[in-house]
Short mmCIF file of all heavy atoms in Angstrom, two decimals:
data_model
loop_
_atom_site.label_atom_id
_atom_site.label_comp_id
_atom_site.label_asym_id
_atom_site.label_seq_id
_atom_site.Cartn_x
_atom_site.Cartn_y
_atom_site.Cartn_z
N ILE A 92 10.25 13.46 21.97
CA ILE A 92 10.17 14.61 21.07
C ILE A 92 10.53 14.23 19.64
O ILE A 92 9.80 14.55 18.70
CB ILE A 92 11.05 15.77 21.62
CG1 ILE A 92 10.40 16.34 22.89
CG2 ILE A 92 11.26 16.86 20.56
CD1 ILE A 92 11.21 17.42 23.60
N ARG A 93 11.64 13.49 19.45
CA ARG A 93 12.01 13.12 18.07
C ARG A 93 10.95 12.22 17.44
O ARG A 93 10.68 12.33 16.24
CB ARG A 93 13.39 12.48 18.02
CG ARG A 93 13.47 11.16 18.65
CD ARG A 93 13.87 9.96 17.89
NE ARG A 93 14.71 9.19 18.78
CZ ARG A 93 14.37 8.01 19.28
NH1 ARG A 93 13.22 7.44 18.96
NH2 ARG A 93 15.17 7.39 20.10
N ASN A 94 10.29 11.37 18.24
CA ASN A 94 9.25 10.51 17.67
C ASN A 94 7.99 11.31 17.34
O ASN A 94 7.24 10.94 16.43
CB ASN A 94 8.91 9.36 18.62
CG ASN A 94 9.93 8.23 18.53
OD1 ASN A 94 10.78 8.24 17.64
ND2 ASN A 94 9.84 7.27 19.43
N MET A 95 7.74 12.41 18.06
CA MET A 95 6.60 13.25 17.72
C MET A 95 6.89 14.12 16.49
O MET A 95 5.96 14.50 15.76
CB MET A 95 6.20 14.12 18.92
CG MET A 95 5.46 13.34 20.01
SD MET A 95 4.00 12.42 19.42
CE MET A 95 2.98 13.75 18.77
N VAL A 96 8.15 14.43 16.24
CA VAL A 96 8.50 15.09 14.98
C VAL A 96 8.11 14.19 13.81
O VAL A 96 7.52 14.62 12.82
CB VAL A 96 10.01 15.45 14.95
CG1 VAL A 96 10.46 15.82 13.54
CG2 VAL A 96 10.30 16.58 15.93
N MET A 97 8.40 12.89 13.95
CA MET A 97 8.02 11.93 12.91
C MET A 97 6.50 11.78 12.84
O MET A 97 5.93 11.68 11.75
CB MET A 97 8.69 10.57 13.18
CG MET A 97 8.51 9.58 12.04
SD MET A 97 9.25 10.14 10.48
CE MET A 97 10.99 9.78 10.79
N PHE A 98 5.83 11.77 13.99
CA PHE A 98 4.36 11.71 14.04
C PHE A 98 3.79 12.83 13.18
O PHE A 98 2.89 12.61 12.35
CB PHE A 98 3.89 11.85 15.50
CG PHE A 98 2.40 11.82 15.72
CD1 PHE A 98 1.77 10.70 16.23
CD2 PHE A 98 1.60 12.94 15.44
CE1 PHE A 98 0.39 10.67 16.47
CE2 PHE A 98 0.23 12.93 15.66
CZ PHE A 98 -0.38 11.79 16.17
N ARG A 99 4.30 14.07 13.36
CA ARG A 99 3.78 15.21 12.60
C ARG A 99 3.97 15.00 11.10
O ARG A 99 3.09 15.34 10.30
CB ARG A 99 4.44 16.51 13.05
CG ARG A 99 3.78 17.77 12.47
CD ARG A 99 4.37 19.04 13.08
NE ARG A 99 3.59 20.22 12.72
CZ ARG A 99 2.49 20.62 13.33
NH1 ARG A 99 2.00 19.92 14.36
NH2 ARG A 99 1.84 21.71 12.94
N ASN A 100 5.12 14.45 10.71
CA ASN A 100 5.35 14.15 9.29
C ASN A 100 4.33 13.15 8.76
O ASN A 100 3.78 13.31 7.67
CB ASN A 100 6.76 13.58 9.08
CG ASN A 100 7.85 14.59 9.37
OD1 ASN A 100 7.63 15.80 9.40
ND2 ASN A 100 9.07 14.09 9.57
N VAL A 101 4.06 12.11 9.55
CA VAL A 101 3.16 11.03 9.11
C VAL A 101 1.73 11.53 8.95
O VAL A 101 1.01 11.11 8.04
CB VAL A 101 3.23 9.84 10.11
CG1 VAL A 101 2.16 8.80 9.80
CG2 VAL A 101 4.62 9.20 10.08
N VAL A 102 1.28 12.44 9.83
CA VAL A 102 -0.12 12.89 9.80
C VAL A 102 -0.31 14.17 9.00
O VAL A 102 -1.41 14.72 8.94
CB VAL A 102 -0.68 13.09 11.23
CG1 VAL A 102 -0.54 11.82 12.05
CG2 VAL A 102 -0.01 14.27 11.94
N ASP A 103 0.74 14.67 8.37
CA ASP A 103 0.67 15.95 7.66
C ASP A 103 -0.48 15.98 6.66
O ASP A 103 -0.67 15.03 5.88
CB ASP A 103 2.00 16.19 6.92
CG ASP A 103 2.07 17.56 6.28
OD1 ASP A 103 1.53 18.52 6.86
OD2 ASP A 103 2.65 17.68 5.18
N GLY A 104 -1.27 17.04 6.72
CA GLY A 104 -2.39 17.20 5.80
C GLY A 104 -3.68 16.54 6.25
O GLY A 104 -4.72 16.72 5.62
N GLN A 105 -3.63 15.79 7.35
CA GLN A 105 -4.82 15.11 7.85
C GLN A 105 -5.63 16.04 8.76
O GLN A 105 -5.06 16.88 9.47
CB GLN A 105 -4.41 13.87 8.65
CG GLN A 105 -3.77 12.78 7.81
CD GLN A 105 -4.79 12.04 6.95
OE1 GLN A 105 -5.82 11.58 7.44
NE2 GLN A 105 -4.52 11.93 5.66
N PRO A 106 -6.95 15.89 8.78
CA PRO A 106 -7.78 16.77 9.61
C PRO A 106 -7.67 16.45 11.10
O PRO A 106 -7.24 15.36 11.50
CB PRO A 106 -9.20 16.49 9.10
CG PRO A 106 -9.14 15.09 8.57
CD PRO A 106 -7.76 14.94 7.99
N PHE A 107 -8.06 17.43 11.90
CA PHE A 107 -8.15 17.29 13.36
C PHE A 107 -9.46 16.58 13.66
O PHE A 107 -10.54 17.09 13.34
CB PHE A 107 -8.11 18.70 13.96
CG PHE A 107 -8.22 18.77 15.46
CD1 PHE A 107 -7.14 18.44 16.26
CD2 PHE A 107 -9.39 19.21 16.06
CE1 PHE A 107 -7.23 18.55 17.65
CE2 PHE A 107 -9.49 19.31 17.44
CZ PHE A 107 -8.40 18.98 18.23
N THR A 108 -9.40 15.38 14.25
CA THR A 108 -10.60 14.54 14.37
C THR A 108 -10.68 13.87 15.75
O THR A 108 -9.70 13.85 16.51
CB THR A 108 -10.59 13.41 13.31
OG1 THR A 108 -9.31 12.74 13.37
CG2 THR A 108 -10.79 13.96 11.92
N ASN A 109 -11.85 13.27 16.01
CA ASN A 109 -12.07 12.38 17.17
C ASN A 109 -11.59 12.97 18.50
O ASN A 109 -10.97 12.28 19.31
CB ASN A 109 -11.38 11.02 16.92
CG ASN A 109 -12.07 10.24 15.81
OD1 ASN A 109 -13.28 10.07 15.81
ND2 ASN A 109 -11.29 9.80 14.83
N TRP A 110 -11.93 14.24 18.70
CA TRP A 110 -11.59 14.85 20.01
C TRP A 110 -12.37 14.15 21.12
O TRP A 110 -13.55 13.83 20.98
CB TRP A 110 -11.94 16.34 20.02
CG TRP A 110 -11.74 16.97 21.37
CD1 TRP A 110 -12.67 17.09 22.37
CD2 TRP A 110 -10.53 17.53 21.90
NE1 TRP A 110 -12.13 17.70 23.47
CE2 TRP A 110 -10.81 17.98 23.22
CE3 TRP A 110 -9.24 17.70 21.40
CZ2 TRP A 110 -9.85 18.58 24.03
CZ3 TRP A 110 -8.28 18.31 22.20
CH2 TRP A 110 -8.60 18.74 23.51
N TRP A 111 -11.69 13.90 22.23
CA TRP A 111 -12.34 13.37 23.44
C TRP A 111 -11.72 14.07 24.64
O TRP A 111 -10.51 14.36 24.65
CB TRP A 111 -12.09 11.86 23.55
CG TRP A 111 -12.50 11.30 24.90
CD1 TRP A 111 -13.74 10.86 25.27
CD2 TRP A 111 -11.66 11.15 26.05
NE1 TRP A 111 -13.73 10.45 26.59
CE2 TRP A 111 -12.47 10.62 27.10
CE3 TRP A 111 -10.32 11.42 26.32
CZ2 TRP A 111 -11.97 10.35 28.38
CZ3 TRP A 111 -9.81 11.16 27.59
CH2 TRP A 111 -10.64 10.62 28.61
N ASP A 112 -12.55 14.36 25.64
CA ASP A 112 -12.00 14.83 26.92
C ASP A 112 -12.92 14.39 28.05
O ASP A 112 -14.07 14.00 27.82
CB ASP A 112 -11.82 16.35 26.93
CG ASP A 112 -13.13 17.12 26.88
OD1 ASP A 112 -13.88 17.11 27.88
OD2 ASP A 112 -13.41 17.76 25.84
N ASN A 113 -12.40 14.41 29.26
CA ASN A 113 -13.19 14.01 30.42
C ASN A 113 -13.71 15.23 31.18
O ASN A 113 -14.12 15.12 32.34
CB ASN A 113 -12.35 13.13 31.37
CG ASN A 113 -11.23 13.92 32.05
OD1 ASN A 113 -10.84 14.98 31.58
ND2 ASN A 113 -10.72 13.38 33.17
N GLY A 114 -13.67 16.40 30.54
CA GLY A 114 -14.09 17.62 31.19
C GLY A 114 -13.02 18.22 32.08
O GLY A 114 -13.21 19.27 32.67
N SER A 115 -11.90 17.54 32.16
CA SER A 115 -10.82 18.00 33.04
C SER A 115 -9.49 18.02 32.25
O SER A 115 -9.39 18.73 31.25
CB SER A 115 -10.73 17.10 34.28
OG SER A 115 -9.77 17.60 35.20
N ASN A 116 -8.53 17.20 32.66
CA ASN A 116 -7.20 17.25 32.04
C ASN A 116 -6.80 15.95 31.37
O ASN A 116 -5.61 15.66 31.23
CB ASN A 116 -6.16 17.67 33.08
CG ASN A 116 -6.32 19.12 33.47
OD1 ASN A 116 -6.07 20.03 32.68
ND2 ASN A 116 -6.79 19.34 34.70
N GLN A 117 -7.80 15.16 30.98
CA GLN A 117 -7.57 14.00 30.14
C GLN A 117 -8.19 14.29 28.77
O GLN A 117 -9.39 14.57 28.69
CB GLN A 117 -8.19 12.74 30.75
CG GLN A 117 -7.59 12.38 32.10
CD GLN A 117 -8.23 11.16 32.74
OE1 GLN A 117 -9.13 10.55 32.18
NE2 GLN A 117 -7.76 10.82 33.94
N VAL A 118 -7.36 14.27 27.73
CA VAL A 118 -7.85 14.60 26.39
C VAL A 118 -7.22 13.65 25.38
O VAL A 118 -6.18 13.03 25.64
CB VAL A 118 -7.54 16.05 25.98
CG1 VAL A 118 -8.11 17.05 26.99
CG2 VAL A 118 -6.05 16.28 25.77
N ALA A 119 -7.87 13.55 24.22
CA ALA A 119 -7.33 12.76 23.12
C ALA A 119 -7.84 13.35 21.81
O ALA A 119 -8.90 14.00 21.79
CB ALA A 119 -7.75 11.30 23.24
#
């Protein structure tokens, strides 16, 4: 969780991109 708080800081202002899924419960 603390590392994802930092992740959010690092990507702030960047667009939502490169969505991938397998049609089920694997996503990126």
Side-chain angles (χ1 to χ4, degrees):
I92 290 176
R93 69 120 141 113
N94 280 351
M95 285 306 300
V96 166
M97 188 62 78
F98 179 105
R99 190 173 190 83
N100 293 342
V101 172
V102 304
D103 186 35
Q105 293 286 309
F107 179 76
T108 50
N109 292 309
W110 174 269
W111 169 87
D112 66 71
N113 69 340
S115 185
N116 290 291
Q117 298 178 1
V118 304

